[in-house]
Amino acid sequence: MNDANVTPLGDRLVILGAGIGGSYTALMCAPYFAETVIIDRDAIPDTPEYRPGVPQSAHIHALLRAPLDVANEAVPGFEDALVAAGALSLTAGTRARYHEYGGWQVKRDLGFNVSAQSRVLVEHEIRRHALHQPGVTLRDEVELVDYMIVDGVTTGVLAKDSTGRIEIISADLVVDSTGRAGPILGLLEQHGYDGVRQDEMGVDISYTSAFFTRTESDEEAFGAIVRSNPPEVRSGVLWPIENGRWVVSLSGRFGDFPPADEEGFAEFARTLGDSLPYDTIQKAERVSDFSRFMIPRIYWRHYEDMKEFPERLIPIGDAVQAFNPVYGQGMAVASLHARELRDVLREIADGDCDLGDVSARMRPRVAGITQWAWDLTQPVD
């Protein structure tokens, strides 16, 4: 099916959250609605900049093949546009390499590329392309107050703008991509829906990151991941990004966390399994403050198990699960959730079901995508 020529299934799609998941949803699903409105509580900048709603922005964010492929499907040539905006395309195995179990993996072309850039650049580019889709608008500095649910059907959201004005934004479908800090659990409880079963796993990981000058050309630059293996808990990533910079992200677990000061950061890097990150920052100039991000536990919320759930409400991304960032799964899974919703909307457009069935169809499919990624985080017996 040509999504661009589809007859709209409804008047308005409301997407909560203008980050990665929300922007992917607009990219994939906007053709199925006459209007798509993205709302976000932050003031969304017109250029790639950091914002309070994404506190993890200052850390490494490589874009794996899945989210790149999804974006290329929605916007042919997206990967080239991302590179044109400053991202680096790194061949896995030669220009993106792993050090683990005491040595570097054999240098060889693994047959695919990963995208290296800052989180703010990739988010900006996905959102920019989403906002170029017909009928898509962004309303920033607007905060979700409540879902509007009538007889078990979500009919819109109650929202508050920066002046404190409360309004109802009607919708035929609401996608919640408000992330880790989103209010979905509390709102469902307020509306009388039973508690969500949640799997949790303690990871007790903390990151400290900073940006440094990079003298290598983009063509010469490479990314290096120095992984820890039990009983060691310290890891580090040296990753090239746009504007001739490195992002260096150090991580530790179980209380052995990287410091956020010059001397402590360098000393932590020196103790990694390979000296490459340490040697690099000794020759580079730091051009940012140190940023820290801590994740005590990861979770998976099993909305698919709930006997009752509001129709026409779809949680995706970190509103469903939060992964250990070591595996780089968050953006990938959010993009796959968005594509799955597009596929369900296609089925509805083909007459296989009704828009009123979208939540019931989506929740087990979201669970299936999440299961695949969640299993990768489980300990091996």
Side-chain angles (χ1 to χ4, degrees), residues 213 215-216 278-285:
T213 56
T215 57
E216 291 86 350
Y278 173 79
D279 293 340
T280 301
I281 64 177
Q282 292 306 297
K283 300 179 292 184
E285 177 187 357

Side-chain angles (χ1 to χ4, degrees), residues 23 48 59 72 86 106 135 144 219 230 237 246 248 266 280 299 339 354:
S23 296
H59 306 279
N72 284 328
V106 176
L144 171 67
E219 291 72 24
V237 181
W246 296 108
V248 179
T280 301
Y299 61 81
R339 185 174 68 180
D354 182 80

Side-chain angles (χ1 to χ4, degrees), residues 86-88 90 95 214 216-222 241 243-244:
L88 288 73
L90 305 181
R95 293 183 62 202
R214 173 169 56 84
E216 291 86 350
S217 69
D218 286 356
E219 291 72 24
E220 297 171 321
F222 59 92
I241 62 171
N243 300 325

